[in-house]
Amino acid sequence: MRVEYRRRVTTSRKPRGPYRKSIERRERILDAALEAFAELGDRGTSLQEIADRVGVKQPALMYYFSSREELLLAALERRDVLNTEVARSARADESFVAGVRHYMEQPGLIKLYVTLMSAATDPQHRGHEFFVERYSDLTSVVAEGLEARQLEARARGDVAAEDMARLLMAVLDGLQVQWLFDPTLDLARLAEVFMRLCAGPEVPGSEPRAGETAGEIGSAG
């Protein structure tokens, strides 16, 4: 089962001319922001740091993003899209662990995500609607994947797929918070344990051997 983040704005036509250049520069800014946040974290990353990495003056960033907060949220959305690409590049039965391990490789982004997520619980926060939509989108996609597995008898049928999907989102968020306190935690392994619980009782004789994980039970990324 894969979890793919869906862009809210899509188009079937490729932009041309100045508009295309504008989009390309915006993408360069987001890539630079992701790199900076991943390396330095939220507090250690200034707009000037990002501008220097892109090779532009700081005011140029404000042309594409009205505030630092808007840039932070756009960076998180970009992170979700890139995480989906990582999951797609892995085998179907390993996409879940691949996606979670991708999180673990970017400690600064984990801290940024947890910080913004907590602040955005305030309905007046600029990121509130972003997280509301994100949870709604991801929960729907995960639930669809679990429902398909239920029909194939590969996921337990005594629990609603949407309930399991919401619990999975809660587990992933909670594990990221715990990881900030204890970076030795293996988030991928723990998330796989939860997916094994979603799969229900194991078939006798199918217990994993020492060193194996539950990657073949299901995946999300």
Side-chain angles (χ1 to χ4, degrees):
M1 180 186 71
R2 296 182 189 275
V3 172
E4 299 186 355
Y5 188 75
R6 297 168 175 172
R7 288 179 182 268
R8 296 186 181 85
V9 180
T10 58
T11 176
S12 59
R13 299 178 61 184
K14 294 183 177 180
R16 299 179 179 179
Y19 181 56
R20 178 178 180 179
K21 292 181 179 179
S22 179
I23 290 180
E24 290 176 346
R25 173 165 286 187
R26 185 179 187 277
E27 293 296 296
R28 285 173 55 203
I29 292 173
L30 283 177
D31 286 341
L34 279 176
E35 291 177 0
F37 291 137
E39 295 172 13
L40 308 174
D42 175 18
R43 295 184 179 181
T45 302
S46 65
L47 290 178
Q48 188 60 55
E49 171 69 27
I50 297 172
D52 290 343
R53 292 187 181 220
V54 180
V56 300
K57 294 185 180 299
Q58 185 172 322
L61 300 183
M62 297 297 97
Y63 174 80
Y64 298 95
F65 305 96
S66 62
S67 67
R68 185 172 185 274
E69 194 170 71
E70 182 180 333
L71 176 56
L72 294 178
L73 292 172
L76 285 183
E77 186 169 15
R78 177 76 164 170
R79 174 210 192 203
D80 283 335
V81 172
L82 292 177
N83 191 61
T84 291
E85 294 176 357
V86 169
R88 282 177 174 172
S89 68
R91 282 177 19 187
D93 60 357
E94 296 178 348
S95 62
F96 174 63
V97 63
V100 177
R101 290 201 184 286
H102 186 239
Y103 284 164
M104 295 174 64
E105 294 170 356
Q106 307 169 87
L109 290 180
I110 291 180
K111 188 170 185 178
L112 171 63
Y113 172 78
V114 171
T115 300
L116 282 180
M117 175 187 64
S118 299
T121 56
D122 180 355
Q124 302 303 315
H125 190 277
R126 185 162 189 167
H128 183 77
E129 189 61 29
F130 169 82
F131 279 95
V132 169
E133 292 183 9
R134 181 181 185 276
Y135 279 123
S136 177
D137 291 346
L138 290 178
T139 298
S140 295
V141 175
V142 174
E144 289 174 6
L146 287 169
E147 286 175 351
R149 297 183 71 82
Q150 286 177 327
L151 292 175
E152 300 169 351
R154 293 193 293 159
R156 61 189 310 147
D158 59 338
V159 180
E162 182 176 343
D163 290 343
M164 285 192 287
R166 290 190 178 280
L167 287 171
L168 175 58
M169 299 302 297
V171 166
L172 291 177
D173 282 351
L175 286 176
Q176 289 182 83
V177 172
Q178 291 187 48
W179 187 83
L180 291 177
F181 290 99
D182 182 5
T184 66
L185 290 178
D186 187 340
L187 303 191
R189 184 187 67 78
L190 293 171
E192 284 183 298
V193 169
F194 180 80
M195 290 304 297
R196 187 176 292 282
L197 295 176
C198 289
E202 296 181 354
V203 176
S206 65
E207 291 80 1
R209 295 185 297 272
E212 289 185 339
T213 63
E216 297 183 358
I217 296 297
S219 55

